[in-house]
């Protein structure tokens, strides 16, 4: 994947754009899926908490939107 540097160097209000491709299993059933994102501490692979009231946030992840997968 890549790196945006240590969290301690992030400035408030900065937006990271990080395009990536998600490979879905061929037998994934069609339907409406939620797309969530979280940030993890490396190398512990510990999810960092969300420290403010963000719409769509739950369990350390933020909902980016919904995706409909066709049959």
């Amino acid at each position: 994947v890549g790196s945006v540097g240590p969290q301690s160097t992030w400035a408030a209000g900065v937006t990271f754009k990080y395009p990536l491709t998600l490979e879905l299993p061929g037998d994934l059933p069609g339907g409406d899926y939620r797309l969530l994102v979280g940030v993890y501490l490396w190398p512990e692979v510990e999810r960092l908490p969300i420290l403010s009231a963000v719409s769509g946030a739950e369990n350390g992840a933020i909902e980016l939107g919904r995706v409909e997968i066709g049959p």
Side-chain angles (χ1 to χ4, degrees):
V1 186
S3 176
V4 292
Q7 179 193 10
S8 60
T9 65
W10 297 356
V14 171
T15 300
F16 295 104
K17 293 183 180 182
Y18 197 84
L20 60 102
T21 301
L22 298 176
E23 293 187 29
L24 304 176
D27 60 350
L28 182 70
D32 186 40
Y33 291 87
R34 296 173 62 206
L35 183 59
L36 301 165
V37 65
V39 177
Y40 291 81
L41 185 61
W42 180 259
E44 295 84 358
V45 192
E46 175 186 337
R47 191 179 315 178
L48 297 174
I50 297 170
L51 300 178
S52 62
V54 176
S55 177
E58 61 183 60
N59 300 322
I62 297 174
E63 182 175 325
L64 296 180
R66 293 184 176 266
V67 178
E68 185 175 338
I69 306 294

